[in-house]
Amino acid sequence: MTTRTTTRATALAATGLLLAACGSSGSGSGQAGAPSFEGRGPITYVAGKDTTGTVQPMLDRWNKAHPKEKVTFIQLPTDADAQRQQMIQNAETKSDAYTVLSLDVVWTSEFAAHQWIDKLPEKRFPMSKMLKPVVETSRYRGGLYAVPSSSDGGMLYYRTDLLKKAGVAQPPTTWGEMTGACAKVKRLPEAKGMSCYAGQFQKYEGLTVNFAEAVHSAGGRVTDANGRPDVDTPEAKKGLDFLVDSFEDRTIPKEAITYQEEDGRQAFQSGKLLFLRNWPYMYSLAEKSGVKGKFGVAPLPGLNGPGSSSLGGHNMAVSSSARNKATALDFIEFMTSEENTATFLRDASLAPPYAALYDDKALIEQYPYLPVLKESVLRAVPRPRVVPYGDVTSAVQQETYAALTGEKSSAQALRDLQKALRKAVAR
Ligand code: GLC
């Protein structure tokens, strides 16, 4: 190792930028002493807008059983970045308005390092029954700072009826097969005006997810095993080029540059898209829409074979400036129990953190793709687990967006991204 790399590695370690999974012990949690979880009474639960309509009914059950410890649901915007901003604002003013936070899996390190959330008593929660990569997202330097409530893996939604009609027997496993299938379907009169593919390409967290998936699905990576940026590579370029070229040749419709998850779902449900990358939550909503019975889900395609998903999901944490933390812990236990995450799976197709639910016969009957989803979650690539995650994701969003809109070549965007990521992790 040169002196320069040694110095940089030390700097990375000092700022907590190396992957949390590097095996450090729980001692350096950044939290002075163990927090005490005292106080009972009303609390709030803060999460992104519930597009599934299943959260309030679950809170009603809790409230009925705990009339003196009622929980009020505070819904933030659907956009992950806007949620993060509002939660940080609450934390920085040390407000007690937010009690239990539904944190995106990528925010754990940042919130734990700033002591915006409390380290949790691990023994209270059945972590060994949960999928390992999912549990890892709730740890920071070995300590448990949140409890997984749902996981997430990207999947390819596709129109079974149209593929069948066009004589395509199987969903595609590569990007080439996908565009090939589109060309065949587009010859059908009922496919008039349809577009081939979309994902989430607006400048927000969803773009980081889709960029990382494209890069990983082409054999590249965003950071190396030690968390150091490694994105200026031919493999990463192939991934980004798939997105850039698809916008250019209209495989992806122009308007998808404004899509978040819900926009793509609406487009798919109204018959505008043949293929869509989205999370599991969409399944049960699409089943209640005009495409009911006409769609299936498959693993994401990649350059030379199946692609890989970004690991998504949400974990529940206790805001360190909150009151009634004893109630907060009980509430987290309730919301993340195997029984209640099974209810969220049954009613809203949310990916559960518990391993056993993916092998449950009745659930597989309802959601035949559960084994595929389990594999997708187990093989999913985590986004960088770094304290300055906000800087990292905004650099990814900025450079990817510039490439997708033709403002920069993909090569230039990746060069600039590598520089920006280096700077972000060196701070
Ligand atoms: C989903 C995922 C989350 C991801 C977000 C991006 O909510 O669970 O991890 O960051 O989508 O839009």
Side-chain angles (χ1 to χ4, degrees):
M1 226 196 243
T2 65
T3 320
R4 219 172 125 246
T5 33
T6 317
T7 316
R8 218 163 64 77
T10 316
L12 287 174
T15 48
L17 284 161
L18 293 174
L19 281 180
C22 275
S24 49
S25 77
S27 56
S29 65
Q31 193 98 24
S36 56
F37 291 90
E38 286 162 2
R40 296 198 163 271
I43 58 168
T44 59
Y45 172 51
V46 187
K49 185 172 168 350
D50 174 28
T51 46
T52 69
T54 55
V55 175
Q56 191 58 49
M58 187 65 86
L59 302 189
D60 292 344
R61 277 184 46 204
W62 164 273
N63 287 343
K64 216 167 157 203
H66 303 86
K68 292 192 175 145
E69 297 171 86
K70 282 198 172 154
V71 57
T72 304
F73 190 16
I74 299 181
Q75 297 191 62
L76 302 181
T78 43
D79 175 332
D81 298 44
Q83 294 164 23
R84 176 175 162 273
Q85 284 305 333
Q86 292 198 26
M87 288 184 187
I88 291 178
Q89 225 165 44
N90 181 79
E92 281 179 337
T93 54
K94 298 208 179 337
S95 158
D96 61 5
Y98 295 175
T99 317
V100 173
L101 307 176
S102 176
L103 292 187
D104 195 312
V105 290
V106 282
W107 306 334
T108 313
S109 302
E110 183 181 29
F111 277 66
H114 286 97
Q115 301 181 24
W116 293 330
I117 51 176
D118 285 337
K119 187 169 171 182
L120 301 177
E122 183 150 0
K123 286 201 183 93
R124 280 282 298 265
F125 304 98
M127 307 312 291
S128 63
K129 293 168 91 183
M130 297 187 182
L131 296 172
K132 211 162 166 266
V134 175
V135 174
E136 280 311 311
T137 68
S138 59
R139 291 190 188 285
Y140 174 67
R141 299 199 177 179
L144 186 77
Y145 282 83
V147 183
S149 50
S150 63
S151 183
D152 245 348
M155 305 192 297
L156 186 71
Y157 288 78
Y158 65 97
R159 289 287 298 275
T160 42
D161 57 334
L162 297 177
L163 284 199
K164 195 168 167 215
K165 201 145 194 211
V168 181
Q170 298 289 336
T173 59
T174 65
W175 294 327
E177 280 175 24
M178 183 166 80
T179 46
C182 283
K184 286 189 185 156
V185 170
K186 285 201 123 188
R187 281 182 220 127
L188 302 172
E190 51 270 70
K192 197 163 178 273
M194 275 185 105
S195 293
C196 179
Y197 174 72
Q200 295 75 43
F201 305 114
Q202 196 186 107
K203 205 194 262 185
Y204 80 115
E205 187 59 33
L207 184 57
T208 301
V209 166
N210 281 256
F211 166 77
E213 283 174 350
V215 166
H216 290 129
S217 299
R221 56 191 188 181
V222 179
T223 53
D224 70 13
N226 293 317
R228 296 183 187 93
D230 186 27
V231 80
D232 187 13
T233 62
E235 293 79 17
K237 185 171 175 301
K238 282 180 195 158
L240 180 55
D241 278 344
F242 160 66
L243 298 178
V244 170
D245 296 347
S246 298
F247 265 103
E248 238 167 59
D249 68 16
R250 300 278 184 269
T251 297
I252 299 177
K254 224 174 163 184
E255 63 265 26
I257 197 72
T258 65
Y259 279 8
Q260 294 195 4
E261 285 81 357
E262 282 293 274
D263 309 292
R265 176 173 77 82
Q266 301 295 354
F268 187 85
Q269 289 181 178
S270 57
K272 289 187 191 150
L273 289 169
L274 182 56
F275 295 104
L276 172 67
R277 178 249 173 254
N278 211 339
W279 306 103
Y281 87 95
M282 172 174 147
Y283 192 94
S284 72
L285 294 171
E287 274 287 276
K288 294 174 199 127
S289 80
V291 293
K292 178 181 167 54
K294 296 183 186 166
F295 72 95
V297 290
L300 295 176
L303 179 63
N304 297 316
S308 56
S309 166
S310 288
L311 182 58
H314 288 84
N315 303 330
M316 293 177 66
V318 179
S319 158
S320 48
S321 50
R323 280 183 291 174
N324 299 331
K325 291 184 182 178
T327 301
L329 272 196
D330 287 357
F331 174 68
I332 291 181
E333 206 169 24
F334 168 83
M335 290 290 274
T336 62
S337 70
E338 186 161 343
E339 190 192 334
N340 287 340
T341 56
T343 301
F344 283 121
L345 170 59
R346 268 191 295 270
D347 298 349
S349 59
L350 292 190
Y354 292 93
L357 295 180
Y358 290 86
D359 305 323
D360 181 291
K361 281 210 179 84
L363 289 170
I364 293 178
E365 203 164 300
Q366 186 183 0
Y367 300 118
Y369 63 83
L370 272 185
V372 169
L373 177 60
K374 184 182 182 185
E375 274 312 298
S376 149
V377 168
L378 287 175
R379 290 190 301 113
V381 186
R383 280 160 278 169
R385 281 193 191 129
V386 294
V387 174
Y389 185 76
D391 295 338
V392 166
T393 190
S394 86
V396 172
Q397 293 169 31
Q398 190 173 321
E399 298 304 333
T400 308
Y401 195 81
L404 296 188
T405 51
E407 196 189 304
K408 280 184 189 178
S409 69
S410 55
Q412 186 64 46
L414 290 174
R415 266 198 301 280
D416 292 349
L417 179 57
Q418 174 73 8
K419 268 191 231 143
L421 291 179
R422 277 217 181 120
K423 210 163 136 196
V425 299
R427 252 178 225 139

